[in-house]
Amino acid sequence: MGIGTSLIRVDAVEKVTGTAKYVGDLEPKDALVAKVVHSTIANGVVKSFDLEEALKVPGVVKIVTCFDVPDYQFPTPGHPWSTEKAHQDIADRKLLNQRVRVYGDDIAAVVAENEIAANRAVRLIKVEYEEHEPILCVEQAMKEGADILHEERPDNIVGHSSFQVGEGTYEEAIKEEGLVTLEKEYETQPVQHCHIEVPHSFAYMEKGRIVVVSSTQIPHIVRRVIGQALGIPWGKVRVIKPYIGGGFGNKQDVLYEPLNAFLCTQVGGRCVKLELTREETLACTRTRHAIKYKIKAAVRKDGTLVARTFKAYSNQGAYASHGHAIVANGANIFKQMYRDEKVLESESFTVYTNCITAGAMRAYGIPQGAFATECLADDLAYAIGMDPLEFRLKNCMQAGYVDPHTKITCHSYGLQECIKIGREHIKWDEKRERYKNQTGSKRRGVGMAIFCYKTGVYPISLETASCRMILNQDGSIQLQMGATEIGQGADTVFTQMASEVTGITEDNIHILTVQDTDITPFDTGAYASRQSYVSGMAVKKTGKILKNKILAYAEYMLQKKADTMDVKQNQIVDKDTNEILLSLGELAEEAFYSLEHCEHITAEATSQCKNNTFATGACFVEVEVDIPYGTVEIIDIINVHDSGKLLNPKLAQAQVHGGMSMGLGYTLGEELLYDKIGRPLNNNLLDYKMPTAMDTPKLNTAFVELEDPTGPFGNKALGEPPAIPQAPAIRNAILHATGVAFDTLPLNPEKLVLEFMEHGLIKGKGEN
Amino acid sequence: MGIGTSLIRVDAVEKVTGTAKYVGDLEPKDALVAKVVHSTIANGVVKSFDLEEALKVPGVVKIVTCFDVPDYQFPTPGHPWSTEKAHQDIADRKLLNQRVRVYGDDIAAVVAENEIAANRAVRLIKVEYEEHEPILCVEQAMKEGADILHEERPDNIVGHSSFQVGEGTYEEAIKEEGLVTLEKEYETQPVQHCHIEVPHSFAYMEKGRIVVVSSTQIPHIVRRVIGQALGIPWGKVRVIKPYIGGGFGNKQDVLYEPLNAFLCTQVGGRCVKLELTREETLACTRTRHAIKYKIKAAVRKDGTLVARTFKAYSNQGAYASHGHAIVANGANIFKQMYRDEKVLESESFTVYTNCITAGAMRAYGIPQGAFATECLADDLAYAIGMDPLEFRLKNCMQAGYVDPHTKITCHSYGLQECIKIGREHIKWDEKRERYKNQTGSKRRGVGMAIFCYKTGVYPISLETASCRMILNQDGSIQLQMGATEIGQGADTVFTQMASEVTGITEDNIHILTVQDTDITPFDTGAYASRQSYVSGMAVKKTGKILKNKILAYAEYMLQKKADTMDVKQNQIVDKDTNEILLSLGELAEEAFYSLEHCEHITAEATSQCKNNTFATGACFVEVEVDIPYGTVEIIDIINVHDSGKLLNPKLAQAQVHGGMSMGLGYTLGEELLYDKIGRPLNNNLLDYKMPTAMDTPKLNTAFVELEDPTGPFGNKALGEPPAIPQAPAIRNAILHATGVAFDTLPLNPEKLVLEFMEHGLIKGKGEN
């Protein structure tokens, strides 16, 4: 019972038997169907529509175009609202956009009695455009005189920030004699989340209010953004989130719920459903940001990192979404993960282009930042002939680290221990030596990467969570969280937490998996690896209140001081002797039905979190590179995590497995591609290459379990970190195996073969 | 804003546009269909089933018989649970009964993929019975050696009670010289509630628990009874109540939800729906009790009521349901409404028969009791030649009345004023005189009846209610009640109450009409005219807590003492100057998103009610009797109510209109009839004669608005009283018009013609 046990997921049976209810399972029988009309240019302006043929399609109820929507611009990212205007997200899109900024932009929508009619009408709508040349890369967007994509940002720059750690400048620092300097560019590609369940919602009106049932990570934020987009009070919107089939940050954006809500108001409040296709999901939702890092670094020959300076350029795509927050987050890992003896200079840009909008994705900019820092670490170690692991041990984050700007502190520190475990697992020292001088077409190598990740968004943004517990007549309770289960197991660990705090066994804790903004205590939702930390604090606080109310009632019943009693295993016991005094069921029955003193015992509380801590870890990998074929086989891989006390070891392991698998896809195959007019080339799961179970090697995990003093149960971030380190670890292993340093992702056969040819490992055509 | 205004129903638009969601609107697309197999005998035992042909029907998933159900007996009435075994309801039925006690008893059930298959299978099931002679009346059931219907009650008596007010005995009292004595029998008939929506539910399993969505007045009690019927912890059951199409007490019994829940467990937790037909609703749910009163009464010639003694015999039908509580409640009106100078002796019996089970119905035994007391009042007045109105004024309940047994007190008293208003409206004095000596075939008369009704069930049973309020970012709130909207307008008056207490305008109060036992604060539900009184107290208590939390937050924001501020019209104002300091929306936004002090402001509280009060009133009616045709035309009718402060005058009027219409049906036409084997003869709305709009005269209402000091807003019972007085008032008017005293209901043409022939007002066949 309680924390630290591997309780079977509370939703396990439902999920494997298919009875768990998702949006599609809840759709009313008579829902209308909405389909979005997407632009067929990437940059330009809609001049007019010809709806005549489309309106003739039997079953078409309503067609709404960008000329019909309210004149409100709204933001989409799932950030907590800020009462300070300067900190609010960029509101740069309308429900439907006349100014087209991406191939597939939302320009109109059809509502019909059924999907066939809706799709047919969509195809029959004719659009006249004013067409501009598409801007598909950051360089082009930042050019003097480039087409302006959003008039509020005439330079196409969404965000720009810089920071410095240490004194002086990089140029001053490298005046020191004997330094080895490097100048590098590292670049990551856009990829997509590919959650199983596509974005899906339905909306209807009830008592003059709009109800939206949606597959989202952030129901309370969806409510707010719908209010903003439609220009109505937020309380007029009700958002309900059932089970969802994954999100990974894509459902931390408010994607199509505002349009869905609006469409329902246009058909008299009738229920309208809006479910994207997979093709739309890949082309019209969000991607991981492609970021280019231009770096200079200087190192002493003894391995001391002396100075770094870098500029990061993040391709935002068409709309701001989470925008600059992501490249800025990625930049932080430079300062947090490594200490430059003299100075670190950082400058980051986020730039609008006509690419698919980039948004939040698991680990929020850190995989990109870590790709740069961890490739650089190896490249610097190579440059001075040092073991990359030793280089890291010498320069990496130390116990007690405090971020100089945010003051986030590393309250528990297991990084060195993680490195030690990984080193032993992969047999680092032996294999670094063994694989030194390979020849032949198949070569092996070992590589590593380290990482850190903060827990939640404090102090950059608000961290708050609420919880409610409701006692039943049999002594069981409902646990009602504002925080959301999105597949990660949140409901299971919250149940364990509640059990730990209240003394009620998990089988008597019925967690409500559905969040409903009308009744659910407020919480900002699932992102930033925050819930087990921040929302866990709310469970702890609420559980204590509930237990105190229970013991107060026990005092009334038993005429024995509350503070001499406790709740254990569903029993009221004497605190000292553990003697069972009363079952919780007996107490509850009396509390419900007492003619003298009746009380429905419930508890509800908000916990505001004003703390943060770093989780860290390392990835070690052994690869075998088939040079002629350009393929990389993962011989062995391990993620070692310092994520504090594990709430549920099996779930923790599963979380890491999922992250590693995602990281492998990111490293080896996934990339969204465009043609020259900005049209996605592979927005489907045949052409977009995600790893399948067949592609996935055995995934090893290990944990350094240290109680974090700030975590509600000694825990800290674990949701996102697992997906961070695979790309640089594998890239570094390939470097070890082949001597070739790949500086862009993904590391697919096409790229490897070309590069190996370049480096003479494969002979070109006509060569022998 | 607030109490006393005629706010338009909060659900008005939804109801008239058909968007309000009832059980049928919420059924999942793929629900299985259950149909009940009803016995075709009224008394006996099921010996065996032959299911062979039924099981062959394509689409049949499962057939369950009385031999397959858990061996638990359970009670069905919607009473609060009592922790004392002696006060618990009678558990006398199983999910399916082998011992058949009524024609149409539930003996088996079919679950199929669709309704056609289910119905076909039901028809193909063959049943072998051991058949007993049906017992259709109380006399037969109470006979020595009568067939025993429930082995726990070998005398067939469900309940027996007696009380006495005053000293000595009736027989001693009538020894006084010069008294006029009367001996009478009055008898009422069984009628049905005829709510628009038939009983309807569906059930499915979720995480090992059973969820039942049902059309019920009492979701929390349904949860409990399902737990009892299936022998599972109550917390394993979740009951959800959406909008319901009327109940009138029939949905204050737990009818088919336990069977529905059980059936779903028998098909692996798949969703199963169970919707009764109208025919089943009339034959297999509940009726108003038929009660026979045998009365002796003595009166002085000056009109002083000296003594009464009566025995009441209530026909319970097959199962105990609310049982003896109803005739006992009806008996109370004898002592409460009239004072006997010497003594009142009361004895009541509730008796099992093979009739349709009788249960709760609007006014819970009082219409029957009032029929007896009010017919008797007129009969006594006639016997001494006194004006019946004067007789009532002389003997009726006086201000400050205290029930000698329950100590329920008449805290506000408007009865005499009600009589005065009715007297003037109907022109009593003039018409009593004018209609004295009529001849001819059409004759007019005026009659009256008075009544009282307590408010809720305290101190007989538990009175408790809970409420929760949830603040939104725009300063609006959700109001979450355990109490249920069942068509009576509860949601509207709760909204007004919340507005009154919190200072938030009604348009910013979003009441949640759906009760869900997993999340809804506990309340026992809609019955006993309790909610606006008892649950209103919970709204008041919770609203104060919410307002205090709001003002505490205002104190934090404004650095101004909370007790110097108030909330008015959605604004925080200075208490003294009414100066607007802050809008509630601004406060809420800060409370949600403050980086310093974030709190989701909600409030939840239980209010236990330990009080009660009497509502009273009078009905005056003028009729024209067509003697040859035996028809009664209502020329004029008025209900005058002393129900305290009116929360919403228009809704109050509508409530009275509905009650009067129901009373008119009860008086003039409705009656469930049986053939000699106990088979219902008219269990359909063609043969069962409810009044339609065409049959309904103009309904006049008036109110004596006195603030009741115990009501949360000066209010007291109004839900049920309107249906009480029509029958005796009309009967007394017919007596006035024709001189014929009818002592049984209904007063339909068949009965009137026969009686008029008996009294020589119509000449028999062959007479001239």
Side-chain angles (χ1 to χ4, degrees), chain A residues 396-465:
Chain A
C396 73
M397 174 192 270
Q398 298 298 310
Y401 171 78
V402 180
D403 182 290
H405 306 111
T406 61
K407 308 298 174 199
I408 297 175
T409 301
C410 189
H411 292 287
S412 54
Y413 177 81
L415 177 59
Q416 304 247 6
E417 182 67 16
C418 288
I419 294 173
K420 191 172 159 226
I421 291 171
R423 179 181 203 156
E424 285 165 12
H425 174 91
I426 214 80
K427 299 194 176 65
W428 177 267
D429 301 277
E430 180 206 325
K431 290 184 179 168
R432 287 299 290 191
E433 197 53 37
R434 194 203 301 170
Y435 298 150
K436 247 182 180 167
N437 299 303
Q438 295 171 88
T439 53
S441 63
K442 290 192 178 180
R443 299 184 198 172
R444 292 199 173 186
V446 292
M448 70 171 291
I450 57 174
F451 59 89
C452 69
Y453 201 76
K454 63 190 192 316
T455 308
V457 299
Y458 180 83
I460 296 158
S461 187
L462 174 70
E463 275 302 3
T464 184

Side-chain angles (χ1 to χ4, degrees), chain A residues 10-11 14 19 21 24-25 27-29 80-84 204-207 209 220 223-224 233-236 238 243 461-462 464 466 468 470 472-474 476 478 480 491 507 510-513 517-522 589-590 592-600 602 604 606 608 610, chain B residues 10-11 14 19 21 24-25 27-29 80-84 204-207 209 220 223-224 233-236 238 243 461-462 464 466 468 470 472-474 476 478 480 491 507 510-513 517-522 589-590 592-600 602 604 606 608 610:
Chain A
V10 296
D11 46 16
E14 292 228 275
T19 57
K21 289 186 175 47
D25 299 306
E27 275 172 13
K29 296 168 245 191
W81 180 244
S82 172
T83 55
E84 287 179 53
Y204 55 92
M205 291 191 72
E206 189 173 81
K207 291 190 200 148
R209 302 167 73 217
H220 273 285
R223 168 189 239 187
R224 184 250 295 168
W234 307 352
K236 294 282 184 194
R238 178 180 190 175
Y243 276 118
S461 187
L462 174 70
T464 184
S466 307
R468 179 170 174 242
I470 305 121
N472 295 325
Q473 290 93 333
D474 60 359
S476 64
Q478 275 75 252
Q480 190 178 26
D491 281 357
D507 56 330
H510 311 304
I511 191 160
L512 294 155
T513 203
T517 57
D518 262 13
I519 51 161
T520 301
F522 182 67
E589 191 180 333
E590 185 68 20
F592 268 88
Y593 300 111
S594 167
L595 297 174
E596 276 311 309
H597 174 195
C598 169
E599 183 190 351
H600 188 195
T602 65
E604 182 166 359
T606 299
Q608 181 162 22
K610 295 185 183 175
Chain B
V10 295
D11 46 15
E14 293 228 273
T19 57
K21 288 183 175 50
D25 299 305
E27 274 172 12
K29 297 167 244 190
W81 180 243
S82 172
T83 55
E84 287 178 52
Y204 55 92
M205 291 191 72
E206 190 173 80
K207 291 190 198 148
R209 302 167 72 216
H220 273 285
R223 168 190 238 187
R224 183 251 295 168
W234 307 353
K236 294 282 185 195
R238 177 179 189 175
Y243 277 118
S461 187
L462 174 69
T464 184
S466 306
R468 180 171 174 241
I470 305 123
N472 296 326
Q473 290 92 333
D474 61 357
S476 65
Q478 275 76 249
Q480 190 177 27
D491 281 357
D507 57 330
H510 311 304
I511 191 161
L512 294 155
T513 203
T517 56
D518 262 12
I519 53 162
T520 301
F522 182 68
E589 192 180 335
E590 185 67 19
F592 269 88
Y593 300 111
S594 167
L595 296 174
E596 276 311 308
H597 174 195
C598 168
E599 184 190 350
H600 188 195
T602 65
E604 182 166 359
T606 300
Q608 181 162 21
K610 295 185 182 175

Side-chain angles (χ1 to χ4, degrees), chain B residues 33-38 49-65 108-127:
Chain B
V33 177
K35 286 284 167 189
V36 180
V37 180
H38 299 288
F49 290 94
D50 176 355
L51 305 178
E52 198 182 336
E53 292 303 312
L55 283 167
K56 285 182 193 161
V57 175
V60 167
V61 176
K62 183 91 185 173
I63 299 178
V64 175
T65 75
V110 174
V111 181
E113 294 287 350
N114 58 66
E115 195 162 333
I116 294 167
N119 280 329
R120 203 163 151 221
V122 166
R123 284 194 301 271
L124 290 170
I125 290 173
K126 298 185 193 79
V127 191

Side-chain angles (χ1 to χ4, degrees), chain B residues 395-459:
Chain B
N395 296 292
C396 74
M397 174 193 270
Q398 298 298 311
Y401 171 79
V402 180
D403 182 290
H405 307 108
T406 62
K407 308 298 176 198
I408 297 176
T409 301
C410 189
H411 291 286
S412 54
Y413 177 80
L415 177 59
Q416 303 246 9
E417 182 65 18
C418 289
I419 294 172
K420 192 172 159 226
I421 290 171
R423 180 182 202 156
E424 284 166 13
H425 174 91
I426 213 81
K427 301 194 172 66
W428 176 267
D429 300 279
E430 179 205 325
K431 288 183 180 168
R432 286 299 290 191
E433 196 54 37
R434 194 202 303 171
Y435 297 151
K436 249 182 179 167
N437 300 303
Q438 297 171 86
T439 52
S441 64
K442 288 192 178 181
R443 299 185 196 168
R444 290 198 174 189
V446 291
M448 69 172 290
I450 56 174
F451 59 89
C452 68
Y453 201 75
K454 65 189 190 316
T455 309
V457 300
Y458 181 83

Side-chain angles (χ1 to χ4, degrees), chain A residues 27 51 59 70 105 126 141 150 153 166 192 211 435 450 525 566 574 640-641 685 726 737:
Chain A
E27 275 172 13
L51 305 178
D105 212 339
K126 298 184 194 81
H150 293 265
R153 311 268 160 164
Q192 222 265 336
V211 185
Y435 298 150
I450 57 174
D566 198 358
D574 184 290
V640 193
H641 285 267
L685 292 183
Q726 293 74 31

